[in-house]
Amino acid sequence: LSLQAPGCKNITRLTAAPTASTDTTAYFSCTPSGAYSGNIVAISNGATLDTQPLTVPAPVVTMTVSGGGGGSVNGSIVFNLRGDLAPATVDNFLAYVNAGFYDGTIFHRVVPGFVVQGGGYGAATSGTLPTPKATLYAPIALELGGGSNVQWTAAMARTADDNSATSQFFFNLVDNHATLDKNANTDGYAVFADVTASAAVIQ
């Protein structure tokens, strides 16, 4: 017996209680990268046994921020992740979130009218940034399916190497599609989330 579920990866047959598979009942788990609506198809010896619908809502991450602007910035930033459009980028971001990597990090680059960037440094001392935090995972390939760098989107920061994004990300404070989307001068920056109910906190 095998399963096919486009948009759902790491399909695994479960063997531990309370969902231990038996000779007559099989339990499976899988990992969607983002919002998904489709079918799971059970196949045996090349023949379809059953088809069942699967609907998964888009993942949402809420970051609690405090202390900026002389301690006056307090609130939450909500990321609606675009895993259905940029699955590798979302998987990478969620891996850092779930590892607690962003706890205690700061927004170290603030360019009014352009971007706010964070995800790579701990607290500064006397205005001096510490050594960047050691990243946990290998850099990811540039993925441009998540959309355009318009206002209130989040995208991955990277070096001049297209495939160098790790943990750092930025918020687009304005519509930056003309300079940060793929064009004659750049291969672009990977958008992976819409930011909702958070504009005032970011500003």
Side-chain angles (χ1 to χ4, degrees), residues 77-80 151-154 171-172 193-199 202:
I77 299 173
V78 180
F79 297 73
N80 288 328
Q151 187 178 38
W152 308 130
T153 55
F171 300 117
N172 286 294
D194 292 313
V195 180
T196 60
S198 310
I202 296 171

Side-chain angles (χ1 to χ4, degrees), residues 32-35 58-59 80-88 90-91 143 192:
S33 294
N80 288 328
L81 301 178
R82 296 176 169 180
D84 53 335
L85 301 176
V90 165
D91 287 349
E143 186 177 44
F192 67 93

Side-chain angles (χ1 to χ4, degrees), residues 34-136:
Y36 173 73
S37 183
N39 290 315
I40 298 178
V41 181
I43 298 171
S44 178
N45 296 322
T48 298
L49 298 179
D50 192 21
T51 301
Q52 292 292 325
L54 172 66
T55 300
V56 178
V60 176
V61 169
T62 301
M63 246 181 216
T64 302
V65 297
S66 63
S72 63
V73 179
N74 296 284
S76 296
I77 299 173
V78 180
F79 297 73
N80 288 328
L81 301 178
R82 296 176 169 180
D84 53 335
L85 301 176
T89 307
V90 165
D91 287 349
N92 175 73
F93 181 71
L94 284 175
Y96 278 99
V97 168
N98 291 329
F101 182 87
Y102 295 123
D103 295 353
T105 59
I106 63 170
F107 291 99
H108 63 277
R109 180 180 178 224
V110 178
V111 184
F114 186 46
V115 299
V116 172
Q117 182 173 327
Y121 292 89
T125 303
S126 300
T128 302
L129 287 176
T131 302
K133 288 186 70 172
T135 54
L136 304 178

Side-chain angles (χ1 to χ4, degrees), residues 11-39:
I11 299 174
T12 305
R13 190 170 190 264
L14 303 179
T15 57
T19 53
S21 297
T22 67
D23 290 341
T24 57
T25 303
Y27 294 92
F28 293 86
S29 70
C30 71
T31 307
S33 294
Y36 173 73
S37 183
N39 290 315

